[in-house]
Amino acid sequence: MIPLAGPIVTDSQKKAVLRVLESGHFILGENVSEFEKDFAAYHDCKYGIGVSSGTSALNLSMLALDIKSGDEVITVPNTFIATANAIAFSGAKPVFVDIDEKTFNMNPELLSEKITSKTKAIVPVHLNGYPAEMKPIMEIANDAGIPVVEDCCQAHGAKCYDQSVGSFGKIACFSFYPSKNLTVCGDGGMAITNDESLERKLKAIRNYGQDRRYHHLFIGHNSRLSEISAAIGREQLKDLPIWTNARRKNANLYNKLLSRSNLMLPKEASWARPVYHYYVVRSDARDKLVSHLSSKQIGVGIHYPIPIHLQPAYEFLGHKKGDFPITEACADSIISLPSHPKMTETDVRTVCDAILELEG
Ligand SMILES: *Cc1c(COP(=O)(O)O)cnc(C)c1O
């Protein structure tokens, strides 16, 4: 059996958890602050704000940027639902821009036409660990004076023009959910920024809005990351470069072994260094391929089968089928293959053999 995702739990993580349990200090201690510093630095940023999930990081980012009812926030319909939910929860209207099929991410050429006087933020997503094309996106956002919030929940350590994802926009949001490239073996997340005033605001909002005990600057939440989670995250961060290399090696081998298949394979643009959260291909006979691989105990996924603009929860936006044709075409043809660091070369070959066997 080859699972789709395979978080790695090491002895050093277990020891770190025990140390926290024995310390008796569970909330906002040294593990959180050290993890924040190191994780932010790993992504070329000054400040990290440990939070309870990637969703919390996105929600808090909207609050920190004062996004509210009547505003518009631009994102893509091809993402996990949490990206759009954070926008909707703030009271703002999610405005979608279609994707580029080469990256599965925001198409910069379609961005400008979506900007109005109400646009208060742009949220590109680095889906599947493949970076969005940040150079043109930042040029358009900067020209319009609109802050960018990067959704990096699937892209820990990915690079764009040799610069880390998460360091382009005002704030970037990461998830440490168990399937992600770095996990705290539960729920957890982090916002990172280079802006000191945003750091202070985000740290206050995650902690009841207080800047010091019982003094509340903002109406805040309890969205903190726990010491146990942060202790695991710190250990995972040490291994992340090795794991990222393993994912990239798996992707290279897939590219080689599947080069003569009928699948459409991911191509690395010269500016992109993806971290292959999943290895995502497109197939004309996707559903048949999914059942074939599943029958062989190979974990596969579809990320995501229903674009956000066609979800019942977002019916109120009034979209219909055909509004975002590239996203819709991808939703019908994509399949995520496992690329996690626990996979051996034999595992990758097993997956490829199964695919080629079906093609005959
Ligand atoms: C996982 C994910 C989220 C949400 O993160 P959680 O930690 O599960 O709340 C948001 N956006 C994207 C693109 C994700 O993959």
Side-chain angles (χ1 to χ4, degrees):
M1 197 196 139
I2 303 172
L4 178 60
I8 297 177
V9 177
T10 60
D11 282 343
S12 66
Q13 290 170 42
K14 292 177 193 167
K15 283 185 191 139
V17 168
L18 272 179
R19 282 198 299 273
V20 176
L21 289 174
E22 282 159 6
S23 79
H25 195 152
F26 303 130
I27 299 291
L28 296 186
E30 183 191 327
N31 282 293
V32 170
S33 59
E34 289 297 308
F35 184 37
E36 288 172 339
K37 210 171 68 199
D38 293 345
F39 188 83
Y42 189 74
H43 294 91
D44 303 333
C45 273
K46 280 195 202 139
Y47 309 109
I49 301 94
V51 293
S52 53
S53 65
T55 299
S56 297
L58 288 161
N59 286 333
L60 266 50
S61 299
M62 295 296 119
L63 288 173
L65 293 172
D66 293 319
I67 288 162
K68 54 187 182 316
S69 169
D71 295 339
E72 293 177 357
V73 175
I74 299 176
T75 191
V76 285
N78 179 47
T79 178
F80 183 54
I81 196 81
T83 320
N85 287 355
I87 298 167
F89 270 130
S90 76
K93 177 183 166 191
V95 172
F96 298 120
V97 51
D98 209 353
I99 58 168
D100 178 343
E101 60 185 342
K102 295 194 290 295
T103 62
F104 294 126
N105 291 321
M106 182 177 283
N107 184 343
E109 287 177 20
L110 303 175
L111 176 56
S112 295
E113 65 199 55
K114 300 287 176 168
I115 295 176
T116 72
S117 58
K118 293 180 181 167
T119 308
K120 291 292 148 59
I122 299 170
V123 187
V125 182
H126 307 292
L127 203 70
N128 310 318
Y130 199 105
E133 213 173 339
M134 290 311 290
K135 206 170 176 175
I137 291 172
M138 289 309 300
E139 273 167 20
I140 294 163
N142 289 338
D143 280 352
I146 298 169
V148 167
V149 175
E150 292 173 73
D151 184 336
C152 301
C153 286
Q154 300 187 3
H156 316 62
K159 290 197 167 157
C160 203
Y161 330 96
D162 285 331
Q163 184 183 333
S164 179
V165 299
S167 64
F168 290 87
K170 273 270 172 215
I171 310 175
C173 301
F174 290 85
S175 166
F176 304 136
Y177 179 79
S179 65
K180 307 294 163 108
N181 293 29
L182 183 158
T183 178
V184 297
C185 302
D187 278 314
M190 198 177 297
I192 63 173
T193 182
N194 276 313
D195 183 316
E196 199 186 342
S197 67
L198 281 174
E199 180 227 12
R200 279 202 303 263
K201 196 166 177 185
L202 286 161
K203 280 195 172 154
I205 299 174
R206 77 159 170 204
N207 192 24
Y208 317 120
Q210 59 192 356
D211 59 343
R212 55 182 197 273
R213 202 156 198 211
Y214 303 136
H215 182 265
H216 302 270
L217 275 183
F218 310 102
I219 301 173
H221 286 279
N222 174 357
S223 304
R224 296 175 304 238
L225 182 70
S226 84
E227 277 288 291
I228 289 181
S229 302
I232 296 172
R234 286 175 77 185
E235 295 305 320
Q236 290 237 340
L237 184 58
K238 293 177 194 162
D239 291 328
L240 184 61
I242 298 163
W243 295 343
T244 298
N245 283 339
R247 286 177 185 275
R248 291 180 50 76
K249 207 171 138 205
N250 289 339
N252 271 330
L253 187 56
Y254 271 128
N255 281 340
K256 200 173 102 194
L257 298 176
L258 295 175
S259 62
R260 262 171 309 186
S261 76
N262 298 325
L263 300 175
M264 202 189 288
L265 307 180
K267 268 206 197 74
E268 270 185 33
S270 60
W271 50 267
R273 186 177 177 276
V275 294
Y276 298 99
H277 177 56
Y278 296 120
Y279 181 84
V280 180
V281 300
R282 288 176 71 186
S283 162
D284 293 335
R286 193 263 312 275
D287 295 343
K288 220 167 104 194
L289 184 55
V290 167
S291 37
H292 179 69
L293 295 179
S294 303
S295 75
K296 294 191 169 272
Q297 309 290 315
I298 295 167
V300 295
I302 299 167
H303 301 95
Y304 294 90
I306 306 173
I308 298 186
H309 67 285
L310 300 176
Q311 291 285 356
Y314 284 89
E315 221 175 71
F316 71 96
L317 291 173
H319 287 298
K320 57 186 188 313
K321 219 172 157 68
D323 283 357
F324 302 98
I326 307 298
T327 291
E328 291 168 25
C330 288
D332 290 339
S333 57
I334 45 174
I335 170 165
S336 302
L337 302 176
S339 51
H340 56 80
K342 270 192 193 167
M343 282 184 92
T344 61
E345 187 176 321
T346 311
D347 289 337
V348 177
R349 288 182 186 277
T350 302
V351 178
C352 294
D353 287 346
I355 291 169
L356 296 169
E357 175 194 291
L358 184 69
E359 286 186 3

